[in-house]
Amino acid sequence: MSEQAATPQTLSELDRPNSYIGKSVPRPNLDRLLQGRGLYVSDMELPRMAHVVFVRSPHAHARIVAIDTQAARKKPGVVAVVTGEELAAVITPWVGVLTHMKGLKSAPQRAIAIEKACWQGEAVAAVVATSRAAAEDAAEFVAVEYQELDVVTDMRTALDAATPVIHASLGDNLAFERTLDVGAVDAAFADSDEVAEVEFVFGRHTGVTLEPRSVVADWNAAEARLTIYQGTQAPHMVQNIAALHLGLQEAQVRVVCKDVGGSFGIKVHIYADEMATYALSKHLRRPVKFVADRIESFNTDIHARDHRCKGRIGVKRDGTITAFEIDDLTGIGPYSMYPRTSAIEANQVVNLIGGPYTTKNYRARARVVFQNKNVMCQYRAVGHPIACSVTEELVDLAAAKIGMDPVEIRRRNLIADDAYPCTSAAGLRFELLSHHTSLNKLLVMMDYDALRAEQASLRKKNIHRGIGIASFIEVTNPSAAFYGVGGAKISSQDGVAVRLDAQGAVICQTSITEQGQGSESLTAQIVGSVVGVSMERVRVILGDTDQTPYGGGTWASRGAGIGGEAALQAAKILRRNILDVAAAILQSTPAELDIANDAVVNAADRTPRIELRELARIVYFRPDTLPPGIQPELMATRHYVPRQYPFAFTNGVQASWLEVDTDTGFVKLLRHWVVEDCGTIINPQLVDEQIRGGVVQGLGAALFEKCIYDERGQLTNANMADYLVPMSGEMPDIDIGHVVSPTSESELGAKGAGEAGTAGAAAAVANAVNDALKPFGAVITEIPLTPQIILTALKRI
């Protein structure tokens, strides 16, 4: 299943007998979740807990003239009706900027709007009652007088002089602009034999998590302490921000993250309604719960991917790609999201265009503009699907211009597997990637030549099938270069504490969180392998700022690469400490001993010497029997952060095999293949599940998902009947293969895998659709590829 793109480093701590590394073992939390015993925020009930419902603006842009709350306050069960002005005395506003993104600007955003609402769905008041139903009933009686304002919806005209400025204090609607010009772009295009130039359009979409955003905030006035129960990807980040804006010390805020029903980047941001819930609890001195309903989720969960990108590629007759050029425009809503900012996606697009290829001639411009729509920000595989789609569709267009097979043009331009370390035209530093090995493996998996023959045969029968290829790179294991340098209190390190308990089991506390991707399992596998105990004897604690070391949490595919390395290093220290104690008890030396199967054994012949249970009994209850001078330390904590490279890049390649019905415009997905190089694989099943899940989200973007706004800024499909997501019936078989190129920056050698599937799926599908439509001379550069778009390209409608 796996190949070596390079000779991997020796993982001596992980190659020990009975290691779980590289094995598909069941998730430790599987039985609990399958039995319906998960604990989600919506399950939580606290004494005196109240429920908050937000009154939201029906207008995309409107001045708030007056709010009458008297009738609502008199309704049964109502605890309070709070406006933005009242809440401003409890919580301060925020501005979503990073200092290293020069020129990025945004207006101050508040927990509840005060002077005006800037998108349909922005909260203008909060109703707190003893039940959700009572709060919803009372909210109907909050009378808000609005003065409608001109709406900015079209990103293409947002910067025009005639277009109103959403925030007058900012001067214009430009949030951020970045330009890059590397090499000799003009000369390269002039020297090209062919040039392809098109405009790409990407549909705005959102995460549609199974569990909506939800929070319970509990202010304990006696302790002057706030406990936040929230489904979040970054508990310590939430702790820092809640404390900062509520005027508290971090020690006064505890964040607890129990089970989470999907995140995909949606739950790594700070939302106004969540901040309002924290503030309401402090204001009212009682627990307050907020759970978004599905319409609120569509209107307030961050959106992503709303881009128009003009792309150009130059190519020589021999297939050499001479240059890339892009002009990317994206609308982000009325504010830059806090604290990660809404400019990161466009910035990533600039960084990643052309990333897998050797050409050094590259020019890019990205402009990020404000508009009166819901806020856009990071979502699974931030910027990657845009960059991959633009790059890979341009490469296919270049191949068509010179009559070359899409695979062959990639062979001639992908960075060679023996060319590392190297730097991309955009300045990205690559340690070790495997584009050619991955491509070769993919072609074998899909039997490329046979598919081409089948395609040609079917075309004679008027059956139009297409093959799409997409190479990709993926940013994982981000260092402080991502957010820390810009002043955001988002930790790039993770920490793990491990200890041997009094029964000889291992307790592991980690700062990464479990969002469904298997953080609990990979941590237990690493710790169990290194210490030498069975996974059943490892208990993992995560998602609690009072109990876990300080760390960044789960985002940017960093859980295994950063959190896993911290677990490995902490486990090594614990194992060493256990062997020191065992050597003293057994009158031996640590070098003569090892740990296996929950016991200390002879290193030479694996003969059991003392069970860990017995060793723990002696240490905790009979330390008087230990030799003089021996002070056992059966706990260890280690942190890890990458230093040598800003990111650990993974790479891979995807392929799509599909059929287009040229009469109806429907696309039938037949098969999808992925080859991914994520370094050391800890649990193959979990990795493959992550890749498949990512592919499904990428296929959703390619064919189904789009947030449709009208000219008044109204979201017209904010429900699961009108916003389409891929279902099992639409999904093809997804075959996964691996190449293994471990990063040498960590002993574990793991890179991320959580976003790779999303990165390349849409590009592969778009190329496959265009391949299927080649006999008709149609080229489509817009997703989602709806029947309407396909039939329009075919001139059928």
Side-chain angles (χ1 to χ4, degrees):
M1 183 146 182
S2 300
E3 296 180 14
Q4 303 297 327
T7 302
Q9 63 198 100
T10 301
L11 300 175
S12 57
E13 292 292 340
L14 305 180
D15 287 341
R16 300 172 59 246
N18 302 316
S19 171
Y20 293 102
I21 303 302
K23 296 180 180 178
S24 295
V25 297
R27 303 173 185 230
N29 59 1
L30 200 57
D31 287 346
R32 177 173 60 83
L33 294 175
L34 288 175
Q35 292 176 30
R37 297 186 179 275
L39 181 60
Y40 300 88
V41 173
S42 57
D43 297 323
M44 295 179 182
E45 296 290 337
L46 300 180
R48 298 183 64 247
M49 187 175 76
H51 298 255
V52 60
V53 166
F54 292 97
V55 178
R56 299 185 182 275
S57 171
H59 306 291
H61 199 198
R63 194 167 307 283
I64 303 169
V65 178
I67 302 178
D68 185 351
T69 62
Q70 292 304 311
R73 294 177 193 271
K74 297 175 182 177
K75 294 301 171 182
V78 171
V79 174
V81 181
V82 182
T83 65
E85 198 165 340
E86 294 172 88
L87 208 61
V90 184
I91 190 166
T92 58
W94 54 88
V95 180
V97 296
L98 292 170
T99 58
H100 70 298
M101 302 190 73
K102 299 189 183 304
L104 173 61
K105 64 191 180 189
S106 184
Q109 186 178 0
R110 296 184 177 276
I112 297 177
I114 294 179
E115 296 180 352
K116 66 175 183 175
C118 291
W119 84 90
Q120 177 210 3
E122 185 171 12
V124 298
V127 178
V128 184
T130 53
S131 71
R132 172 66 178 257
E136 288 185 348
D137 289 345
E140 297 290 332
F141 291 87
V142 176
V144 185
E145 181 183 347
Y146 296 98
Q147 177 191 349
E148 287 194 65
L149 301 173
D150 290 334
V151 177
V152 181
T153 56
D154 191 339
M155 68 175 80
R156 294 170 293 183
T157 59
L159 301 178
D160 291 353
T163 300
V165 175
I166 296 173
H167 303 292
S169 61
L170 299 181
D172 56 32
N173 291 322
L174 181 65
F176 177 69
E177 182 172 9
R178 180 188 174 192
T179 59
L180 183 68
D181 199 333
V182 181
V185 177
D186 291 332
F189 277 116
D191 192 44
S192 300
D193 292 320
E194 296 286 350
V195 175
E197 183 172 1
V198 291
E199 182 178 35
F200 298 91
V201 180
F202 299 91
R204 170 188 277 246
H205 55 277
T206 187
V208 198
T209 56
L210 189 61
E211 177 203 23
R213 290 185 300 106
S214 46
V215 57
V216 172
D218 182 14
W219 172 255
N220 186 318
E223 296 180 353
R225 199 155 193 256
L226 177 67
T227 300
I228 298 170
Y229 302 93
Q230 184 169 338
T232 176
Q233 297 171 238
H236 285 100
M237 182 196 79
V238 173
Q239 178 191 42
N240 171 268
I241 288 173
L244 175 66
H245 292 283
L246 290 169
L248 304 172
Q249 298 297 313
E250 280 198 23
Q252 291 179 272
V253 179
R254 177 189 181 191
V255 179
V256 180
C257 177
K258 296 291 188 180
D259 293 309
V260 181
S263 291
F264 320 129
I266 296 295
K267 297 174 182 174
V268 78
H269 309 291
I270 295 298
Y271 291 85
D273 45 25
E274 294 167 357
M275 294 282 270
T277 305
Y278 312 156
L280 286 167
S281 178
K282 188 170 185 287
H283 178 59
L284 299 173
R285 300 163 68 93
R286 65 190 295 171
V288 177
K289 175 189 277 191
F290 165 66
V291 179
D293 64 28
R294 187 55 66 184
I295 292 177
E296 284 180 304
S297 293
F298 275 115
N299 280 283
T300 62
D301 288 2
I302 62 103
H303 295 174
R305 319 267 210 256
D306 194 1
H307 290 252
R308 286 181 172 270
C309 186
K310 295 177 181 177
R312 191 158 68 122
I313 187 172
V315 64
K316 303 285 283 185
R317 286 283 169 208
D318 64 0
T320 302
I321 297 172
T322 58
F324 287 99
E325 183 176 16
I326 66 149
D327 189 349
D328 182 58
L329 179 65
T330 182
I332 59 166
Y335 300 101
S336 175
M337 196 69 175
Y338 188 62
R340 295 163 186 269
T341 86
S342 300
I344 291 290
E345 184 172 87
N347 196 60
Q348 286 280 77
V349 171
V350 172
N351 285 338
L352 295 168
I353 292 283
Y357 298 99
T358 55
T359 181
K360 294 298 183 183
N361 303 307
Y362 175 40
R363 180 184 293 142
R365 177 174 72 158
R367 288 172 297 162
V368 177
V369 299
F370 296 117
Q371 54 188 175
N372 293 118
K373 297 179 181 179
N374 184 27
V375 180
M376 288 221 316
C377 202
Q378 288 94 312
Y379 167 54
R380 193 175 194 170
V382 184
H384 292 68
I386 309 298
C388 185
S389 292
V390 171
T391 300
E392 294 301 299
E393 289 185 59
L394 285 174
V395 170
D396 265 25
L397 289 172
K401 284 276 190 180
I402 59 173
M404 184 174 285
D405 185 87
V407 168
E408 184 58 28
I409 196 172
R410 287 171 171 81
R411 285 195 200 279
R412 298 188 184 197
N413 291 279
L414 288 168
I415 301 170
D417 290 356
D418 61 358
Y420 300 96
C422 66
T423 304
S424 75
L428 302 177
R429 294 170 55 205
F430 301 139
E431 177 194 6
L432 181 61
L433 301 178
S434 58
H435 289 299
H436 289 271
T437 305
S438 297
L439 180 60
N440 292 337
K441 187 177 183 70
L442 177 85
L443 297 176
V444 172
M445 287 172 57
M446 64 189 294
D447 199 351
Y448 182 76
D449 291 337
L451 279 186
R452 282 295 183 202
E454 182 180 351
Q455 178 189 43
S457 175
L458 290 172
R459 275 182 181 168
K460 297 174 183 177
K461 303 175 183 178
N462 202 32
I463 297 173
H464 297 281
R465 293 187 176 180
I467 301 170
I469 306 288
S471 295
F472 63 88
I473 54 175
E474 180 199 358
V475 176
T476 75
N477 296 9
S479 70
F482 214 76
Y483 294 115
V485 296
K489 298 293 181 66
I490 300 170
S491 181
S492 55
Q493 71 169 17
D494 271 301
V496 172
V498 292
R499 62 183 169 89
L500 192 73
D501 74 5
Q503 298 294 315
V506 176
I507 308 298
C508 175
Q509 298 155 293
T510 176
S511 61
I512 64 174
T513 57
E514 175 67 71
Q515 313 290 316
Q517 75 277 58
S519 295
E520 187 175 341
S521 180
L522 73 86
T523 303
Q525 286 181 251
I526 293 168
V527 170
S529 299
V530 174
V531 175
V533 300
S534 56
M535 271 187 66
E536 294 76 14
R537 301 280 286 167
V538 180
R539 180 186 171 212
V540 179
I541 298 171
L542 29 63
D544 187 337
T545 57
D546 267 11
Q547 295 196 50
T548 62
Y550 205 98
T554 301
W555 46 273
S557 300
R558 64 194 301 281
I562 297 180
E565 180 67 13
L568 185 149
Q569 297 302 331
K572 283 176 63 177
I573 301 302
L574 177 62
R575 177 171 168 269
R576 188 183 309 160
N577 292 350
I578 292 171
L579 292 178
D580 285 344
V581 176
I585 294 173
L586 299 172
Q587 298 182 354
S588 182
T589 65
E592 295 175 307
L593 302 173
D594 198 357
I595 306 173
N597 301 319
D598 307 318
V600 176
V601 301
N602 285 334
D605 59 11
R606 320 304 289 174
T607 301
R609 297 291 303 276
I610 183 173
E611 290 188 357
L612 291 181
R613 183 187 300 271
E614 175 62 13
L615 182 144
R617 184 193 69 80
I618 294 171
V619 168
Y620 288 114
F621 306 119
R622 291 302 309 274
D624 57 305
T625 64
L626 294 173
I630 297 295
Q631 177 56 55
E633 293 291 347
L634 300 186
M635 184 170 185
T637 302
R638 285 294 181 271
H639 287 81
Y640 173 72
V641 64
R643 298 282 183 92
Q644 185 179 354
Y645 286 86
F647 315 101
F649 278 92
T650 72
N651 73 275
V653 59
Q654 298 192 32
S656 174
W657 172 237
L658 53 77
E659 183 176 316
V660 179
D661 187 326
T662 55
D663 292 323
T664 65
F666 279 92
V667 175
K668 182 178 182 180
L669 300 168
L670 303 173
R671 199 74 174 266
H672 200 95
W673 297 268
V674 184
V675 175
E676 157 76 345
D677 184 347
C678 60
T680 301
I681 297 172
I682 298 166
N683 186 319
Q685 184 182 47
L686 289 181
V687 170
D688 288 359
E689 285 177 357
Q690 279 290 290
I691 293 171
R692 286 192 179 93
V695 166
V696 170
Q697 286 188 290
L699 297 177
L703 297 175
F704 304 107
E705 298 185 51
K706 184 178 182 179
C707 298
I708 302 172
Y709 281 86
D710 66 17
E711 67 281 356
R712 298 179 303 118
Q714 298 290 308
L715 182 57
T716 62
N717 61 333
N719 59 77
M720 293 304 296
D722 298 322
Y723 182 94
L724 303 181
V725 295
M727 307 293 281
S728 59
E730 288 86 42
M731 289 299 96
D733 286 340
I734 302 170
D735 298 329
I736 312 294
H738 295 282
V739 174
V740 179
S741 304
T743 173
S744 61
E745 192 166 0
S746 68
E747 189 171 344
L748 182 61
K751 306 172 186 177
E755 297 166 284
T758 310
V765 168
N767 280 344
V769 168
N770 282 328
D771 185 51
L773 300 182
K774 192 172 292 184
F776 302 91
V779 176
I780 303 175
T781 55
E782 179 175 355
I783 61 171
L785 289 151
T786 61
Q788 179 181 5
I789 287 175
I790 290 172
L791 292 177
T792 301
L794 291 170
K795 297 181 172 54
R796 301 289 173 86
I797 59 173

